[in-house]
Amino acid sequence: GELNLDDLLSTEEMNGKTTYAVKPGDNFTRIAAEHETTLDCIMHMNGLQQMDKLYPGDELVLLPLKFNIKIDVARKMLSLYREGRLLKAYNLLNARTRDSRATLRAKIGQKIGILENGRSVSPVRFESYRTARKVLILDHRGLQIRQGDPNKEEDGGRGFFLSQPDMEELALLLRVGNEVEVRFGNE
């Protein structure tokens, strides 16, 4: 699966990506929303370190983020799929939920970063967000996909915990609206 992900994030392999010519009035946020991608992904795909001003005619490589996430709680695994094809599986450090049903279907409802001082920051504030701990909040009862050590009190809450590198990668690849399927049992 990782080779697929490497190709996906490479600007040398353009399969599944588009080149977009900036139009008057465009901004990064609008482009991301209209093309089902994220600011993180636009910045990565175009080798940008900050959101510089856009000029009509500038070209950006865009990657639509049409992924599905499957979380297998029993196996402690989060898997990323594109068009039914496995891209990569991530080990969960822990899963803390109270749900007893067999399967839950949800979507990513919000994407934030948590700064050192505990304040949250939106991805639109790219400079601050870039160094923040990433959190993806599902649209179901506050479940989260987040970085952290679930044994530490400040990392409390319900959700699915991943390593910092894995969470950084997922924050790059996932957007609000991506579908999430959580399997709680050993089906």
Side-chain angles (χ1 to χ4, degrees):
E2 277 194 58
L3 290 176
N4 298 332
L5 190 57
D6 290 342
D7 285 345
L8 190 68
L9 293 174
S10 168
T11 54
E12 293 176 21
E13 171 61 48
M14 287 299 290
N15 188 22
K17 301 173 190 97
T18 60
T19 302
Y20 177 75
V22 174
K23 298 176 185 132
D26 274 346
N27 61 50
F28 285 102
T29 305
R30 183 178 302 133
I31 293 168
E34 289 176 1
H35 295 275
E36 297 182 299
T37 192
T38 63
L39 295 174
D40 294 326
C41 192
I42 291 173
M43 302 301 279
H44 174 82
M45 296 303 298
N46 294 281
L48 303 172
Q49 295 298 314
Q50 58 187 13
M51 288 193 283
D52 293 326
K53 187 170 179 151
L54 292 172
Y55 297 96
D58 286 351
E59 289 192 345
L60 296 173
V61 174
L62 302 178
L63 171 63
L65 301 176
K66 298 178 182 178
F67 300 118
N68 295 60
I69 302 98
K70 293 185 181 180
I71 300 173
D72 186 327
V73 175
R75 291 188 177 100
K76 288 193 169 183
M77 189 72 56
L78 181 150
S79 300
L80 185 63
Y81 290 85
R82 182 178 190 191
E83 298 173 354
R85 187 171 148 206
L86 175 67
L87 287 175
K88 186 169 181 180
Y90 301 86
N91 291 316
L92 294 176
L93 299 176
N94 200 353
R96 189 179 315 154
T97 67
R98 293 186 201 137
D99 220 305
S100 59
R101 69 181 101 187
T103 303
L104 165 72
R105 295 192 190 286
K107 291 185 178 187
I108 295 175
Q110 189 177 7
K111 186 175 177 178
I112 62 170
I114 304 294
L115 300 172
E116 289 288 325
N117 63 12
R119 289 189 9 230
S120 65
V121 62
S122 164
V124 174
R125 297 191 41 118
F126 187 73
E127 294 300 315
S128 300
Y129 176 78
R130 204 166 62 173
T131 60
R133 293 175 53 188
K134 309 306 187 283
V135 179
L136 303 169
I137 302 170
L138 303 186
D139 64 357
H140 180 80
R141 298 187 186 162
L143 282 175
Q144 301 176 355
I145 301 171
R146 64 182 297 159
Q147 157 190 338
D149 180 351
N151 299 316
K152 290 184 178 178
E153 194 170 312
E154 67 270 15
D155 287 337
R158 296 184 312 122
F160 310 99
F161 299 84
L162 292 106
S163 69
Q164 188 268 339
D166 287 350
M167 199 59 224
E168 287 291 327
E169 189 170 272
L170 284 169
L172 171 72
L173 295 169
L174 298 175
R175 63 177 172 77
V176 170
N178 284 124
E179 294 181 5
V180 180
E181 178 183 309
V182 182
R183 293 185 180 159
F184 294 97
N186 289 319
E187 297 175 10

